[in-house]
Structures are given as C-alpha cells and as structure tokens.
Amino acid sequence: MTEAENRCRLVLIVPDIADADEQARIVADALKGGDVASVIVPQYGLDDGAFQKHAEKLVPVIQDAGAAALIAGDSRVAGRVKADGLHLTGNAQALSEAIDKHAPKLIVGGGNASDRHNALEIGEARPDYIFFGKLDGDIKPEAHPKNLALGEWWASMIEIPCIVMGGTDPASALAVAETGAEFVALRLAVFGEPGRAPSIVAEINALLDEKAPRFED
C-alpha cells in the first residue's frame, strides 16, 4: 500500500449498470485487483430514489476495500448513504458553496475545468481535488490531450491534487501519471469487460509501480 502512495493512484468511475446488485458486485470484484484511492459514483439517468438505492449498495463495498466513496452531484444522497465525499461537475461558485457547507466532514472536489482560467477559479475555492475531463469522457483509447496538458500544467504549479480522466485503454493510466497528476480516473478501461476488471486493476497498478514517476515527500 505504501508503494502506491508516492505515485499516481487509480480512481475508478462506476459503470452505468441498471441492476444495482450486479453493479455492486462488479465494483467489488474490481477492487480486489489492488490499490484504488477512490471510487466516483455517477447518477447517470437514475432518478434520485433509484440513485440512492444504487449508492446504498456501492458505498459499503467501496469503503470495505479501503477506498473513498464519492457521490457525484447529490449531497443529500451522499449524506444518507454515509459516503466519504461529493464529486461536483458545476462551476467554481457551486463548488465553493458545497465546500462551505460540507467540508471538512466530506471530501469535496471536481469542477468543470475546461481551461486554465476555469481551473484557477475552481482552485480559489480550495477543493480537495480538481478533475480534468468528464466522468463519461473516455471515448477514445487514449486520454484527451487537452486534459493531459491541463493536468501537467496544474501539477507543476498547484498543490491541490488533480485527477485526470484516462481513456478506454488501461495503458492510458501511464500517460496520465507522466503528467505528474496525482490520480488517474478510469471507467471503461477497467469495466469494459467486467469479468477482467480485477486483473486489469492489478495490471494498471503493476504498470504504475514500474513506470510512473515518484512524488517527492
């Protein structure tokens, strides 16, 4: 575990699966594969009641594996299911209001940082992390070049950790790590073939152990 602390770590984004039990089982399996810092739970198209039911099954599974459970968007659901944090995709003001209301009891991070100006505005709110990319932005094998560039710029200047969205290829995790970003977010790269999710998480951790740059203490 300590080996992973000083390099880029994995953040998983829960896949869009209608059956809550199946979704929780697949995520639990993936988490058996090795180190995962946190898991973000998007609402996708679910209404609030159904989203809460999914979150109620997912959060204990995530926490039992030693990862932080971050609920996307809905602070009420985050509170009811005793999640560790809240992932927001709104602007700097929305993030700032959520931080005032929920931190430090909850981890609060995210942001819709599409350029440097937006990113710096979000940074002024002092979130726990900033996210470059979209939760469902893994539409190509590689991470989006703009998000890689933003992650590299941010990591070189700002102390607030950043998460950069990877692509559908597990190897995209290394490209993110090479920017200096603290975290790489993956969704389809891990869950595209659910049966292989644990072995893919293990492979990604091995790749990062071997090749990711190390952070200075």
Side-chain angles (χ1 to χ4, degrees):
M1 189 64 196
T2 47
E3 174 69 14
E5 297 287 343
N6 69 343
R7 55 130 172 103
C8 184
R9 295 178 70 197
L10 185 55
V11 172
L12 295 181
I13 297 170
V14 173
D16 186 2
I17 295 170
D19 184 292
D21 290 313
E22 185 188 358
Q23 189 183 46
R25 180 183 59 74
I26 287 167
V27 170
D29 278 352
L31 290 165
K32 291 173 188 160
D35 178 68
V36 172
S38 58
V39 180
I40 299 173
V41 184
Q43 188 160 350
Y44 293 116
L46 298 172
D47 64 44
D48 292 349
F51 183 41
Q52 185 170 324
K53 287 194 175 76
H54 279 246
E56 281 168 356
K57 291 182 187 297
L58 286 162
V59 167
V61 160
I62 294 163
Q63 292 170 338
D64 287 350
L70 308 177
I71 298 293
D74 195 322
S75 59
R76 288 165 305 181
V77 169
R80 288 176 194 145
V81 301
K82 299 183 169 53
D84 301 287
L86 193 54
H87 176 89
L88 297 172
T89 53
N91 60 18
Q93 186 181 346
L95 207 52
S96 181
E97 287 168 5
I99 289 164
D100 289 345
K101 197 168 175 183
H102 301 293
K105 190 162 75 85
L106 290 177
I107 297 165
V108 182
N112 185 11
S114 54
D115 57 38
R116 291 184 178 193
H117 176 73
N118 281 356
L120 291 172
E121 281 189 340
I122 288 163
E124 284 174 15
R126 307 297 299 171
D128 290 297
Y129 65 85
I130 188 168
F131 190 97
F132 293 114
K134 294 181 175 163
L135 295 180
D136 59 355
D138 50 348
I139 50 176
K140 292 186 176 176
E142 58 283 343
H144 195 294
K146 184 179 77 169
N147 296 329
L148 291 174
L150 283 166
E152 184 166 17
W153 161 75
W154 182 270
S156 69
M157 282 182 36
I158 314 275
E159 284 189 7
I160 296 166
C162 70
I163 304 175
V164 176
M165 186 70 204
T168 57
D169 183 343
S172 66
L174 184 58
V176 170
E178 286 169 346
T179 68
E182 288 85 356
F183 301 98
V184 53
L186 294 177
R187 186 180 64 133
L188 296 178
V190 169
F191 295 111
E193 294 178 58
R196 292 192 58 225
S199 60
I200 292 170
V201 168
E203 284 166 23
I204 292 165
N205 272 300
L207 177 69
L208 295 173
D209 281 342
E210 185 187 350
K211 295 187 173 174
R214 295 301 187 257
F215 302 130
E216 294 163 16
D217 293 332

